[in-house]
Amino acid sequence: MTLRFVGIDPNTGGGGSPTVWVEEESADLVLQGEEAEALLKAVVGGTVWVAGHAAGIPAHERVIRIPARMVPILREACDVAEQRARLR
């Protein structure tokens, strides 16, 4: 597995920080972020967002929070992933 580093939270203090990569083979976005607090998880997990789709957060998934200041990094990651997907 090869990850292409795209960016890290510009306000990082040197510890664990929201980070974005693109996996080269699949062109998937890989995100590291702060796990959402209980209230946010309850809202996400308790709402039916798409008709016919079950509410809840599956055990194998997590809700994470990425700071708004990272939007430019996420845009870049989306561009990288889209370009990479075209090469497959």
Side-chain angles (χ1 to χ4, degrees), residues 69-85:
R69 64 183 167 266
M70 291 186 66
V71 168
I73 295 167
L74 289 171
R75 281 193 189 107
E76 180 183 348
C78 289
D79 290 344
V80 168
E82 184 175 51
Q83 292 166 0
R84 185 71 194 150

Side-chain angles (χ1 to χ4, degrees), residues 17-29:
S17 297
T19 308
V20 180
W21 302 266
V22 174
E23 196 220 326
E24 292 287 346
E25 292 78 23
S26 66
D28 289 344
L29 295 178

